[in-house]
């Protein structure tokens, strides 16, 4: 198991390096490499073809709309395949559109160096702009949960600030009741670590009379009940139960 993470990092580092050599030979020069990879990444940023999430030895791997959970606790094979496949689909998506971009690049023939630099800049800018436009900033659910757990009395809470946070949490609530971040290069399924952070925040807000939090929390608890499996609660569907997640989920349902 100790070799898995270094191996995943190695693959993640070697993939772009190998792609860079190939692109350099096809398109010509380091500036062309930057331009081609940037435009490929920008296209992928519109809707990333692969990605996922890793939490506590649970690897949720996504390719397109298909997802699968690999659990390091289940077998040595999954502890190896999970991180490697997650690295491959995530990094590979940024290079998926390199072939058509290279063909377009070569169709223009020899591009003057000054124009190559402008195209490289344009590619980098488009990658950043599309990435920012397509992916909203994630909410600091863990930090908010720690903050509300540290509040000693309701009089010390800024009710207006927490009411605003409840409204922001509502914006990332899923139709099935789960609450958390999905999309981008992440998973399409909400992880229970975020669901439980959101539930604890909403529970604290309900206790001080923030009415908008109550229906959100009820839906969240209904979703939480559906995720229970024999032995407890997993981080992602298809994974094995985790003691920490199970303890928090049990406390949430009991409360």
């Amino acid at each position: 198991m100790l070799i898995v993470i270094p191996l995943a990092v190695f693959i993640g580092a070697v993939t772009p390096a190998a792609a860079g050599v190939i692109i350099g030979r096809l398109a010509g020069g380091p500036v062309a490499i930057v331009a081609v990879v940037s435009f490929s990444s920008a296209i992928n940023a519109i809707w990333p073809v692969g990605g996922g999430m890793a939490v506590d030895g649970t690897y949720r791997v996504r390719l397109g709309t298909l997802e699968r959970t690999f659990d390091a606790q289940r077998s040595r094979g999954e502890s190896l395949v999970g991180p490697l496949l997650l690295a491959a689909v995530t990094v590979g998506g940024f290079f998926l559109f390199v072939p058509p971009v290279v063909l377009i690049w070569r169709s223009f023939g020899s591009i003057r160096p000054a124009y190559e630099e402008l195209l490289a800049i344009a590619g980098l800018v488009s990658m950043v702009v599309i990435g920012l436009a397509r992916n909203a900033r994630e909410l600091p659910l863990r930090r908010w949960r720690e903050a509300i757990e540290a509040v000693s009395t309701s009089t010390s809470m800024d009710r207006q600030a927490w009411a605003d946070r409840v409204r922001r949490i509502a914006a990332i609530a899923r139709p099935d009741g789960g609450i958390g971040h999905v999309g981008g290069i992440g998973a399409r399924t909400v992880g229970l670590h975020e669901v439980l952070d959101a539930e604890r925040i909403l529970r604290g807000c309900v206790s001080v009379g923030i009415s908008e939090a109550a229906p959100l929390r009820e839906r969240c608890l209904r979703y939480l009940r559906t995720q229970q499996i024999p032995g407890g609660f997993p981080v992602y569907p298809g994974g094995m139960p985790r003691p920490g997640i199970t303890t928090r989920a049990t406390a949430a349902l009991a409360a």
Side-chain angles (χ1 to χ4, degrees), residues 5 19 28 38 57 64 71 110 149 161 177 179 209 219 221 247 250:
I5 295 177
S38 296
D71 198 317
S110 179
E149 287 177 337
I179 300 175
R219 290 198 297 271
L221 289 174
T247 298
T250 303

Side-chain angles (χ1 to χ4, degrees), residues 28-93:
V31 176
I33 293 173
V34 173
V36 169
V37 173
S38 296
F39 280 117
S40 176
S41 298
I43 297 170
N44 183 64
I46 296 173
W47 187 261
V49 296
M53 188 67 176
V55 180
D56 195 14
T58 303
Y59 304 92
R60 185 72 171 176
V61 181
R62 176 183 65 80
L63 183 61
T65 59
L66 302 176
E67 282 190 311
R68 180 174 173 181
T69 298
F70 296 86
D71 198 317
Q73 290 188 7
R74 184 157 31 231
S75 69
R76 185 178 296 275
E78 291 200 20
S79 70
L80 176 65
V81 172
L84 295 183
L85 193 57
L86 179 59
V89 298
T90 304
V91 176

